[in-house]
Amino acid sequence: MDYHNLPKEELIKNFETDPKVGLSKQKVTQLREKFGPNNLQEKKKKSNIQRFFDQFKDVMIIILIIAAIVSFAIVCVEKNWGELFEPGLILLIVILNAIMGVVQESKAEKALDALKNMSAPHARVIRDGEEKVIDASELVPGDIIKLEAGDFVPADARLLHSVSLKSEESALTGESVPSEKDSEAIVPSDAPLGDRNNMIFSGCSITYGTATAVVTGTGMNTEMGKIANLLAGETESQTPLQKKLAQLGKYLGIVALAACAIIFIVGIIGGADPIHLFMTAVSLAVSAIPEGLPAIVTIVLSIGVQRMVKRNALIRRLPAVETLGSASVICSDKTGTLTQNRMTLVKAYAEGDESDTDLSEAKGNEKIAQLLRYGTLCCDGSVVFENDKETHIGDPTETAIVLAAHKWGFPKDELNKTYPRLAELPFDSDRKLMTTINSIDGKNVVIVKGAFDMMMNRCVSGDLDKARKITETMSENALRVLAIAYKIIDKVPQEPTSEELENGLTFMGLVGMIDPPRPEAKVAVETCRKAGIKPVMITGDHVVTASAIARELGILLEGDMAITGAQLDAMSDEELDNQVENISVYARVSPENKIRIVKAWQKKGQVVSMTGDGVNDAPALKAADIGCAMGITGTDVAKGAADMTLTDDNFATIVEAVREGRGIYANIKKVVGFLLGTNIGEVVAVFVAMLIWGVSPLLSMQLLWINLVTDSLPAIALGMEPVEADVMDHKPKPKDEGIFANGLGIRIVLQGLMFGVLTLVAYWLGSKWTGTAEGGQTMAFMTLSLSQVIQSFNMRSDHSLFKIGVFSNKNLNWAVLASLALVLLVLFTPLNIAFSLIILPWELYLISLGLVLIPTVLMELSKAIGIIKHNK
């Protein structure tokens, strides 16, 4: 029901209540049974056990578990308990991976908790004719509640009576200043949330005045409850990287199973031992699955998270790092995100001047100095300075005047002492004026401050036509304009009235203020455009204000559209899909509008980032591919729903985050290419060797050592490669672009074939030279593991190693030394017995080292002749 559109009398009749008596105890009980407690419902969360078992749904993990079970079964059949090391190692890897996943998810889904905490704990209510304080959860629709400045609003309510009431609703509507409320207003039924000035909303706060209201909605039936429903309904979708790795796991699983099937068929036809075939299948499965890939990608993302923390961006979910690097559209809230969330006085006009003046250029203008002094004397707001920190107390439009006067050398405290206040008429939304009487130089001076349209007819002196035109110009530039006038009276009245004080005034001037853009936001927007990212402003503020800020920042360009939430509601989904790329500003929007905008962009195949700080941003933050909340001004709800929090509330930080995201994704591609090159080489070597010689050149334990121990450290170091300087000079990669795009997949296959051939050559030479399979396996192990370690240098860049500096990545240098030590450990210590390795003749070690250097020679040649190109 549109409660804001009903007369108060009809509303009271509908709720069967009485403004003076309130509800009866019996009626409250009936209504509580019908509507339930005034609480937000919580979505049931997964237990840690459920999260743990969810980790085992990945195809790669399932294949590893099957491999471990098969290996364990063979150990039990043959009663060779010394071989338990192999299945035990596989299962340990799987369990550690699952635990890591649970830890990552344990802090998720805090948005609804934060919403509950925002609910007011107590409420002043009239029941059975008595005023009492009760828990807010006990409120029911029809309750009569009383509110004053400083109170949280405990439920949605329609005003019955109000005096100078203002409500802080920026978290819900995006308005940068408190909303003025009027209990007598009848608002159109289709009015957006921010224009329903006869309503107050749960979770907001009263900043000025007093009110009596009737509760119209509790719990999930409040505007806050609707947002909670939206949050509960929005599922967290997988990021592009998660989808690609899951797809990769399926492909590798199919390859492993197909290879196993072929080996089995060939083996059975050849009369091979089934137990031997099972062990070979385990080896193939282990060789095909990059066991370390999920963990290493997680570590690389974690390193990226640490880098981003240093740049004031806090990541909630690791894969969000990569997604941010893919962002092609940034939908940003205006208030507090692109702007400073602080009204600032920027223009002033004094009666008699030619035109309005930028305040920064008006120093020395005595008339404007007098305007600021009088304006400050007529303000209740104040600005407190402590340890170089400004604290604004009271109405933002008043604190803007007070701060401007302070900067001109007129601190409010000193003005109040010099020119004491003798009487006042508080602001109210009917008059839209505030009046004080101050003793100035022995005279009783009435100072009136308020809206020009209300002031104009009360003035008897001044060029009001000129002032009206300047007011209109300021308003067109999205400035909030206040007029200041005065008169001198002989005697201070005992009971001041508006009729007596606010007439016969001398017009003094105008002040214009705005919530200004962050200085760094314009540069950030420009960088976004250079990087092929479309910035979009989404705000609850008025379209004129939003458009002016967007134009100044470079978001609203020539030919772009700025529309309101009402215009958006009038659009069909098809119309929005056709127009969405041309719309750069959305004003006066609802939470549902924000989700619709995000999803319209997502239909275009774009990776959408949503930044914001208010409760009203939370559902869209969650629906977006990546949500970025503000850390200082941001609500807990926004932070809980977002993937990333900007700890300095600086829009420019998002540019650095995008840069890091792009760099990290490039590094992940290097890591994936590095690890898969090994896996393909292993599959080729095992598969071909089984077909030719009927024996595997590498045992599963040896493969695990290469995949998990030898390769892991260089892979992590590759993930720490510095971000390339030109990463923000090109467009984001398309949403549907595979991880193997731009020739990476072909290169990985070719590199895998190269490693496979080198391993087979090494095995053949070793087995021929020593006359044993162990000799061949030892030489194959040494060649493959060492060539992979050296390959990590080749994977650093598409540029020549000698151009970027062979040893310029210090982390990689240390990782390579550690990996070499680990290879030598199993080759030349008693550990070689556990790995079925033997000591080779010195000639074979020299030949193996020669084979190890072949990949570097081939990679440098391919870079030199342009087979490998640097992709921008």
Side-chain angles (χ1 to χ4, degrees), residues 149-160:
D151 287 347
F152 265 94
V153 181
D156 285 6
R158 166 69 188 273
L159 296 172
L160 299 177

Side-chain angles (χ1 to χ4, degrees), residues 632-681:
I632 299 171
T633 58
T635 58
D636 287 343
V637 184
K639 293 174 192 174
D643 302 285
M644 181 175 84
T645 300
L646 305 179
T647 58
D648 61 352
D649 282 17
N650 190 338
F651 181 79
T653 301
I654 203 167
V655 179
E656 275 300 309
V658 169
R659 181 179 175 274
E660 282 293 334
R662 290 188 178 188
I664 288 163
Y665 184 69
N667 286 348
I668 287 172
K669 287 181 75 171
K670 295 169 190 175
V671 170
V672 170
F674 172 67
L675 293 176
L676 291 189
T678 307
N679 289 111
I680 292 173

Side-chain angles (χ1 to χ4, degrees), residues 670 718 721 724 744 747 751 790-806 812 855-871:
K670 295 169 190 175
L718 268 178
E721 189 73 23
E724 295 191 43
L744 180 63
R747 282 159 50 196
Q751 288 164 25
I790 302 303
Q791 174 69 356
S792 62
F793 285 106
N794 299 324
M795 293 300 294
R796 286 182 55 202
S797 175
D798 292 340
H799 296 298
S800 169
L801 256 181
F802 303 102
K803 182 178 179 180
I804 63 170
V806 178
L812 185 58
T856 301
V857 175
L858 292 177
M859 291 287 284
E860 284 299 312
L861 282 172
S862 62
K863 290 175 183 178
I865 63 176
I867 295 174
I868 296 177
K869 295 179 181 177
H870 182 60
N871 292 304

Side-chain angles (χ1 to χ4, degrees), residues 316-443:
R316 179 171 168 251
R317 294 192 311 120
L318 289 182
V321 180
E322 174 266 338
T323 316
L324 186 64
S326 305
S328 52
V329 178
I330 297 177
C331 297
S332 174
D333 184 41
K334 176 184 73 70
T335 307
T337 308
L338 290 162
T339 65
Q340 298 174 25
N341 200 18
R342 176 171 292 172
M343 296 300 286
T344 303
L345 203 154
V346 291
K347 291 268 190 183
Y349 165 69
E351 171 65 22
D353 284 353
E354 285 297 316
S355 63
D356 59 314
T357 311
D358 286 341
L359 201 64
S360 59
E361 299 172 3
K363 285 279 187 179
N365 186 325
E366 180 53 36
K367 287 189 286 186
I368 288 180
Q370 184 80 327
L371 185 72
L372 291 176
R373 282 196 292 267
Y374 275 39
T376 301
L377 288 169
C378 192
C379 284
D380 287 331
S382 61
V383 181
V384 178
F385 297 88
E386 190 174 357
N387 299 326
D388 297 327
K389 183 182 177 185
E390 292 177 17
T391 303
H392 291 231
I393 302 168
D395 188 279
T397 55
E398 292 195 336
T399 60
I401 297 171
V402 171
L403 182 61
H406 183 93
K407 290 179 177 178
W408 273 53
F410 312 128
K412 186 185 177 190
D413 290 344
E414 291 183 17
L415 288 173
N416 284 338
K417 286 178 185 175
T418 308
Y419 312 117
R421 186 180 294 187
L422 305 175
E424 65 183 281
L425 286 175
F427 174 89
D428 74 45
S429 52
D430 290 328
R431 293 168 24 249
K432 296 189 185 300
L433 299 172
M434 175 181 173
T435 298
T436 63
I437 305 174
N438 294 74
S439 176
I440 300 177
D441 299 331
K443 298 176 182 178

